[in-house]
Amino acid sequence: QVELVESGGGLVQAGGSMRLSCSASGGASNIDVMGWYRQAPGKQREFVAGLTNGGPIEYPDSVKGRFTISGDNKSTVYLQMNFLKPEDTAVYYCNALIPGQSPTWGQGTQVTVSP
């Protein structure tokens, strides 16, 4: 059973930067894709970034040019977030996809961007 642990959230001022980390354990070698989603209060969870064997998945317009995913897609991924905006405030969740299984989620880490 794959487990994901996120770290690196917190409070930052608008325009600042923050780096999130996610580590996978327990069968991580079966992971095909690792990535990040976020969920703001009252909104649906949305895709932020993903990393496959072939490289990063295209970023959504909301974060393109500001967020960068790195690492490998088997055990550890990072999300570098630059030029943060108040609308980036959300709980950020690490996600792992294993063929034939339901997606695995981390516990989430809060990112708060003050104006």
Side-chain angles (χ1 to χ4, degrees):
Q1 182 76 21
V2 173
E3 292 188 1
L4 304 175
V5 177
E6 304 111 331
S7 61
L11 175 65
V12 65
Q13 286 190 327
S17 298
M18 184 177 289
R19 190 193 198 204
L20 305 181
S21 301
C22 175
S23 295
S25 61
S29 61
N30 297 319
I31 296 174
D32 260 7
V33 182
M34 288 186 73
W36 294 92
Y37 286 69
R38 67 184 181 186
Q39 188 166 19
K43 295 188 176 181
Q44 289 188 334
R45 192 170 296 190
E46 64 174 355
F47 172 76
V48 174
L51 191 61
T52 73
N53 282 329
I57 297 170
E58 184 173 0
Y59 299 91
D61 288 343
S62 58
V63 306
K64 191 177 295 183
R66 300 187 300 119
F67 289 13
T68 303
I69 190 169
S70 63
D72 62 66
N73 63 310
K74 295 294 186 184
S75 62
T76 306
V77 288
Y78 306 96
L79 185 66
Q80 179 66 41
M81 304 183 292
N82 298 326
F83 306 109
L84 283 161
K85 306 175 182 179
E87 50 263 45
D88 294 318
T89 294
V91 177
Y92 284 71
Y93 295 91
C94 184
N95 168 271
L97 298 180
I98 298 173
Q101 297 186 21
S102 300
T104 299
W105 297 94
Q107 80 282 0
T109 185
Q110 176 71 45
V111 173
T112 302
V113 184
S114 63

